[in-house]
């Protein structure tokens, strides 16, 4: 027979799913665990690593997992599909996302050059994005061949299975650049056709990575979610204030990331880490409108995020987000050339 004390103890654990296998930008979650920040908040976090990234919102939305990470566009689409989830904070803000390719592929930054090409995408919304961009640029979905790659877009490009594929600048693009460097090729052979530019979105935030909760769990555990984010904020502060020491602690726990590729990816992720953890209202509104344009959200859809659980004072949003992105592109190119850790 289960005692009341045992029942109480069992409720202290929070199950938390990554959006895919451990990556450099997951460092705040693991530091909060290994440095005892969750424990200081009275939390016991079970960090889960999904075998299929597409399962995450369904598992959280169905209540099988309490919390996790997911891109903003997927968080919106999940709620619209009946999976009750809410973003309670930001991990990565506006990582550049687009069609990655090598110059030798014949693709350029003109979207129409995908005609006759094989293009990879991660999950179903990548295919929806590509098909909508075809309409936007006078092509049809039959003008290219789509291949679902999961997180293996860079691998598939290098194996010749696809001509290009959707990825993010701080992860798959770095993977391709490191391959070129190791094989005597120019890193600038790797190019990205940014989706925000070819879709005229005015933002690159649809792949911002969010901390999300099951809605029922959230309604019953507000204090725990606040405690979780306090621990995450403390770990994120560590990363931003001392990135090298934080990395050493991370790879001591996750030695499979102790390699040049992961470190380069970490350097490129560094400027995207959200220092405040706050959801950015303007970004959520823009991506909600983009979801409506893609017909994955109904016309009356309201974005499913909240800043009620994030510690601290909400920062002022940038006055000119397009200028901020222009400066970020220059900044990231400098990091590509010179390495190191700096933020705008």
């Amino acid at each position: 027979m289960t005692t009341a004390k045992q029942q109480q103890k069992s409720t202290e654990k929070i199950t938390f799913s990554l959006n895919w296998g451990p990556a450099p930008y997951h460092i705040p979650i693991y530091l909060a665990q290994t440095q005892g920040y969750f424990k200081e908040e009275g939390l016991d976090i079970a960090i889960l690593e999904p075998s299929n990234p597409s399962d995450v919102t369904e598992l959280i939305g169905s209540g099988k997992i309490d919390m996790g990470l997911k891109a903003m566009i997927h968080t919106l689409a999940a709620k619209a599909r009946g999976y009750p989830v809410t973003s309670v904070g930001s991990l990565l803000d506006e990582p550049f996302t687009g069609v990655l390719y090598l110059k030798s592929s014949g693709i350029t930054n003109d979207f129409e050059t995908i005609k006759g090409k094989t293009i990879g995408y991660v999950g179903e919304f990548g295919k929806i994005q590509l098909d909508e961009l075809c309409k936007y640029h006078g092509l049809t979905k039959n003008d290219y061949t789509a291949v679902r790659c999961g997180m293996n877009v860079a691998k598939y490009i290098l194996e010749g299975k696809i001509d290009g594929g959707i990825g993010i600048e701080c992860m798959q693009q770095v993977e391709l650049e490191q391959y070129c460097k190791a094989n005597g090729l120019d890193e600038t052979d790797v190019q990205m056709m940014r989706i925000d530019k070819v879709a005229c979105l005015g933002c690159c935030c649809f792949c911002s990575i969010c901390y999300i909760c099951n809605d029922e769990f959230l309604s019953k555990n507000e204090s725990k979610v606040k405690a979780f984010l306090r621990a995450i904020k403390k770990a994120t502060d560590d990363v931003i204030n001392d990135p090298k020491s934080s990395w050493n602690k991370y790879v001591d726990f996750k030695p499979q990331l102790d390699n040049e590729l992961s470190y380069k990816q970490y350097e490129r992720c560094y400027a995207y880490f959200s220092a405040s953890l706050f959801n950015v209202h303007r970004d959520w509104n823009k991506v909600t409108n983009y979801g409506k344009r893609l017909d994955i959200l109904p016309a009356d859809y309201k974005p499913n995020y909240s800043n009620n659980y994030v510690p601290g004072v909400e920062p002022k949003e940038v006055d000119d987000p397009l200028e901020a992105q222009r400066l970020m592109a220059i900044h990231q190119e400098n990091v590509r050339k010179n390495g190191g850790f700096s933020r705008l």
Side-chain angles (χ1 to χ4, degrees):
M1 181 175 179
T2 303
T3 67
K5 185 176 181 179
Q6 288 173 324
Q7 289 176 339
Q8 176 63 28
K9 185 177 180 180
S10 69
T11 62
E12 293 307 309
K13 187 177 290 293
I14 295 176
T15 51
F16 183 93
S17 176
L18 304 179
N19 54 334
W20 58 311
Y25 63 80
H26 294 140
I27 185 170
I29 296 98
Y30 282 105
L31 283 188
Q33 183 85 298
T34 61
Q35 301 308 297
Y37 300 152
F38 288 138
K39 188 176 181 179
E40 288 173 5
E41 295 289 348
L43 301 176
D44 181 10
I45 308 297
I47 302 173
L48 308 177
E49 302 169 6
S51 57
N52 182 354
S54 297
D55 292 339
V56 175
T57 44
E58 181 176 345
L59 290 169
I60 296 173
S62 64
K64 293 181 174 66
I65 294 175
D66 302 320
M67 300 182 67
L69 296 174
K70 204 63 183 170
M72 188 184 290
I73 187 71
H74 296 115
T75 302
L76 288 161
K79 188 71 171 278
R81 291 187 165 192
Y83 295 113
V85 297
T86 296
S87 171
V88 293
S90 297
L91 169 60
L92 288 186
D93 279 336
E94 301 194 76
F96 292 136
T97 307
V99 177
L100 291 165
Y101 60 92
L102 301 177
K103 287 180 179 178
S104 58
S105 68
I107 300 173
T108 71
N109 276 339
D110 179 353
F111 187 79
E112 294 179 18
T113 59
I114 76 159
K115 187 172 183 178
K117 305 296 185 182
T118 301
I119 306 297
Y121 62 95
V122 176
E124 62 176 311
F125 296 115
K127 177 65 164 61
I128 291 170
Q129 283 181 309
L130 288 168
D131 288 350
E132 196 269 347
L133 283 168
C134 283
K135 290 194 297 183
Y136 200 75
H137 289 270
L139 302 175
T140 74
K141 61 183 180 181
N142 296 319
D143 283 327
Y144 78 104
T145 301
V147 175
R148 186 166 183 163
C149 303
M151 295 298 181
N152 295 314
V153 167
K155 177 176 180 288
Y156 277 35
I157 290 174
L158 296 176
E159 291 176 350
K161 295 177 180 178
I162 57 177
D163 299 300
I166 297 177
I168 62 175
E169 178 262 331
C170 55
M171 292 301 296
Q172 291 92 346
Q173 182 169 336
V174 179
E175 186 177 349
L176 290 170
E177 289 168 354
Q178 287 299 105
Y179 171 85
C180 288
K181 183 179 178 181
N183 287 275
L185 303 174
D186 193 327
E187 291 178 42
T188 62
D189 285 353
V190 182
Q191 297 287 304
M192 174 185 282
M193 186 195 315
R194 279 173 44 188
I195 288 178
D196 62 305
K197 289 189 172 183
V198 294
C200 299
L201 296 180
C203 69
C204 199
C205 44
F206 55 87
C207 273
S208 292
I209 307 299
C210 306
Y211 296 99
I212 70 172
C213 287
N214 171 273
D215 284 355
E216 183 177 357
F217 172 82
L218 180 59
S219 68
K220 294 179 178 179
N221 297 276
E222 291 188 6
S223 62
K224 286 184 181 179
V225 174
K226 289 179 180 179
F228 175 90
L229 290 172
R230 285 195 299 269
I232 289 292
K233 179 66 167 65
K234 191 170 183 179
T236 303
D237 288 345
D238 286 353
V239 171
I240 291 173
N241 293 330
D242 195 345
K244 291 183 179 179
S245 175
S246 296
W247 181 254
N248 290 336
K249 292 172 183 175
Y250 186 28
V251 297
D252 183 59
F253 184 70
K254 287 289 182 185
Q256 67 266 39
L257 295 177
D258 191 8
N259 54 68
E260 184 179 5
L261 170 60
S262 294
Y263 190 73
K264 291 291 185 183
Q265 290 172 326
Y266 177 53
E267 288 181 323
R268 295 273 276 277
C269 288
Y270 181 72
Y272 296 127
F273 282 113
S274 173
S276 71
L277 309 187
F278 277 83
N279 290 288
V280 180
H281 303 289
R282 176 165 45 204
D283 291 350
W284 277 92
N285 289 331
K286 285 184 176 181
V287 178
T288 298
N289 289 332
Y290 183 44
K292 293 174 182 178
R293 174 175 142 185
L294 293 173
D295 290 327
I296 61 174
L297 301 177
D300 60 350
Y301 191 86
K302 303 297 182 185
N304 49 319
Y305 73 97
S306 173
N307 283 329
N308 293 337
Y309 311 93
V310 186
V313 178
E314 184 171 353
K316 181 180 180 293
E317 294 184 11
V318 296
D319 293 327
D320 188 343
L322 290 180
E323 175 64 7
Q325 288 193 336
R326 187 187 72 81
L327 293 174
M328 179 63 85
I330 295 170
H331 175 275
Q332 291 298 86
E333 176 62 11
N334 183 62
V335 175
R336 181 191 69 77
K337 291 178 179 178
N338 303 310
F341 299 95
S342 62
R343 291 168 60 85
L344 291 180

